[in-house]
Amino acid sequence: SSGRHWLGWLRNVQNVELHTAGLVPTRIEHIELGNIILHDLAGQPEYYSSHIAALQNLLQNYPAVFINFVNLHENEALISLHKWLTVIENVSQNVSSPCHVVTVASHVDMITQNEFSFIKKNMLHILSTRLDSSNVINAGLVGLDCRKLGGGDFSPFMITLSKCCQTIRSAKSIITSLYC
């Protein structure tokens, strides 16, 4: 019974390629962000090795803003944060321009305010101790409410992302695209 429900849901999904390795680039031209190319890694464990190789290759030529989504509704949110920060630190070792990391605490609507305050405190501690090297810059932590399209108040996220893009573009005069 549950299998049929899942297959019914899958039939309703449109514009999704089922045979990808999780690295389908999406080019976006945005008024505030400029030209950016998104690579959604989606956290699929079977593709970690290809993610790392692709990121190392991309970072040879382009600066990057990593948007690290951490699902606060999952039991191992802090472990996930550590794992992806390790990936980011490793792929950023030999970059020519520092990479920026925006950490998004998603699903804040699925936990209590007290739980969010506790997790946020821990996440901020992790980010302050793990990032801000010469190759990786901690751009901040923003929370998103997933009950609403666009995450409820999407402004803090867009402001943070826009500042990262502006910082990178002001440091390099010939950049036409950023990888996120």
Side-chain angles (χ1 to χ4, degrees), residues 144-145 148-155:
L144 288 181
D145 178 340
K148 302 171 187 155
L149 184 62
D153 185 7
F154 205 60
S155 299

Side-chain angles (χ1 to χ4, degrees), residues 47-180:
Y47 298 120
Y48 286 170
S49 60
S50 67
H51 289 348
I52 291 168
L55 287 171
Q56 286 173 329
N57 186 45
L58 291 171
L59 291 175
Q60 289 178 11
N61 299 311
Y62 298 98
V65 176
F66 290 98
I67 305 169
N68 187 15
F69 284 85
V70 179
N71 183 344
L72 299 187
H73 195 242
E74 292 179 354
N75 290 333
E76 299 185 354
L78 296 178
I79 293 171
S80 175
L81 176 62
H82 273 292
K83 176 191 70 178
W84 282 106
L85 291 178
T86 299
V87 169
I88 292 167
E89 288 168 331
N90 288 337
V91 300
S92 302
Q93 286 181 2
N94 298 315
V95 295
S96 59
S97 299
C99 299
H100 296 250
V101 178
V102 177
T103 302
V104 176
S106 72
H107 295 78
V108 296
D109 53 292
M110 303 294 289
I111 61 176
T112 68
Q113 186 61 39
N114 287 340
E115 289 173 314
F116 178 59
S117 295
F118 177 76
I119 293 171
K120 181 179 178 181
K121 179 181 173 185
N122 286 309
M123 290 177 77
L124 289 169
H125 175 73
I126 292 166
L127 292 168
S128 69
T129 57
R130 295 282 307 266
L131 299 180
D132 287 331
S133 70
S134 60
N135 295 333
V136 183
I137 297 169
N138 176 16
L141 171 67
V142 294
L144 288 181
D145 178 340
C146 295
R147 292 175 292 186
K148 302 171 187 155
L149 184 62
D153 185 7
F154 205 60
S155 299
F157 171 72
M158 287 302 293
I159 290 168
T160 303
L161 184 57
S162 180
K163 285 179 183 178
C164 292
C165 293
Q166 289 171 1
T167 300
I168 290 173
R169 287 204 169 89
S170 67
K172 296 275 188 179
S173 59
I174 306 178
I175 295 173
T176 56
S177 295
L178 288 174
Y179 281 99
C180 295

